[in-house]
Amino acid sequence: MRFEGKCVVVTGASSGMGRKIALDFAKEGATVVAVARRKERLDEIAAETEEFAGKILPYPGDVSKEEVCNGMVDYAVETCGKLDVLVNNAGIMDEFTPIGEMSNDLYERVMAVNLNGPIYAMRRAVQVMIEKGTKGNIVNVASIGGVRGCRAGIAYTASKHAIVGATKNTAYMYTANGIRCNVVCPGGVETEVMNSQKNISQFGMGRIMAGLDTSIPQGQPEDISSAVLYIASDDAKFMTGAEIVIDGGVSCN
């Protein structure tokens, strides 16, 4: 078990990629602080770990709030005495909205979850890792929208490019402290996030779909989870500041 005795925080853990990531860490022996807004979902996945080597501790909260990001990290330290791994997975879409149609409310909402939350969490995680002398690990979840910015809405694209940049900066700044920071950039993955899109921009969607190779199948949550666990493990001890694209070849077109 690669994560026996390790303490891990996973955001966006109530469904999709985050749920799978949290469960897989627990299977490998970790104590996982699972963070999301839906407490009932967190309680369900915590119950699934009763026979696992590790366990899941629900921590309900909205990661767009600084106090929640600080609180989840502090809770991990209070519970485990340290924080080994932070996975910033929580994220929302922007209805494929181009800049000419974007409202301030949409922009601020997307940036609050996709960028501000991870930044708050990374700041507190780095502080406690240095304080505890932990050679910690941060894995951010961005998107191919943060690598190839033309096939998403403006707010989502901006937030994911920013996370890629924040990852590289953090990796560079804290290499001497033994803190690694990497980012995975998934393509299309079968999750609930698309179901939350209620007011899709028809113009934006049309531009995104133009010339898109629809023959490439969508990924599954386990495709992303396996990469996250590898990056967070000692198997990847020399990897930091890397952006890992996991998209089934979409970005090769």
Side-chain angles (χ1 to χ4, degrees):
M1 290 181 291
R2 291 177 291 178
F3 297 98
E4 186 174 7
K6 301 291 187 180
C7 188
V8 180
V9 172
V10 179
T11 69
S14 63
S15 65
M17 295 186 299
R19 180 183 185 278
K20 181 61 174 169
I21 291 166
L23 286 168
D24 285 351
F25 269 115
K27 284 179 183 177
E28 295 239 21
T31 296
V32 182
V33 176
V35 185
R37 289 175 296 177
R38 294 176 289 185
K39 183 179 185 300
E40 69 281 0
R41 288 284 192 92
L42 296 176
D43 290 339
E44 288 172 6
I45 65 169
E48 291 184 38
T49 65
E50 290 180 357
E51 304 299 323
F52 288 8
K55 60 184 176 180
I56 286 179
L57 304 176
Y59 191 94
D62 180 350
V63 295
S64 70
K65 310 297 183 184
E66 180 182 0
E67 60 270 22
V68 171
C69 294
N70 290 341
M72 69 190 188
V73 172
D74 291 344
Y75 176 66
V77 175
E78 291 165 9
T79 303
C80 304
K82 60 176 180 172
L83 173 65
D84 295 290
V85 181
L86 167 66
V87 181
N88 283 311
N89 166 76
I92 59 174
M93 301 287 288
D94 65 357
E95 298 163 345
F96 309 107
T97 305
I99 197 164
E101 300 176 14
M102 185 191 70
S103 67
N104 287 350
D105 177 70
L106 176 63
Y107 174 76
E108 291 166 4
R109 180 158 38 92
V110 172
M111 297 300 280
V113 175
N114 292 5
L115 179 60
N116 296 355
I119 292 291
Y120 297 146
M122 289 166 66
R123 177 175 62 190
R124 186 65 187 134
V126 164
Q127 290 169 348
V128 301
M129 287 171 181
I130 292 174
E131 178 187 335
K132 299 292 183 180
T134 304
K135 292 186 177 181
N137 206 310
I138 299 170
V139 183
N140 294 318
V141 179
S143 164
I144 56 168
V147 179
R148 294 182 63 190
C150 58
R151 295 199 183 275
I154 184 67
Y156 183 84
T157 297
S159 69
K160 296 304 184 180
H161 273 271
I163 283 297
V164 171
T167 297
K168 293 178 180 294
N169 180 267
T170 301
Y172 176 76
M173 290 290 185
Y174 295 101
T175 298
N177 299 94
I179 297 172
R180 296 194 293 116
C181 188
N182 295 284
V183 58
V184 296
C185 302
V189 178
E190 289 188 15
T191 69
E192 294 180 3
V193 70
M194 285 299 296
N195 296 332
S196 65
Q197 303 298 282
K198 305 300 183 185
N199 299 295
I200 291 175
S201 166
Q202 295 306 303
F203 171 74
M205 176 63 85
R207 293 297 299 144
I208 288 165
M209 295 302 295
L212 186 66
D213 185 353
T214 57
S215 68
I216 297 175
Q218 284 197 310
Q220 300 299 317
E222 54 265 29
D223 297 322
I224 311 306
S225 179
S226 60
V228 169
L229 266 69
Y230 166 73
I231 294 164
S233 75
D234 289 341
D235 292 336
K237 64 182 183 297
F238 199 54
M239 180 187 291
T240 192
E243 59 182 72
I244 298 90
V245 173
I246 312 168
D247 68 352
V250 169
S251 57
C252 298
N253 296 335

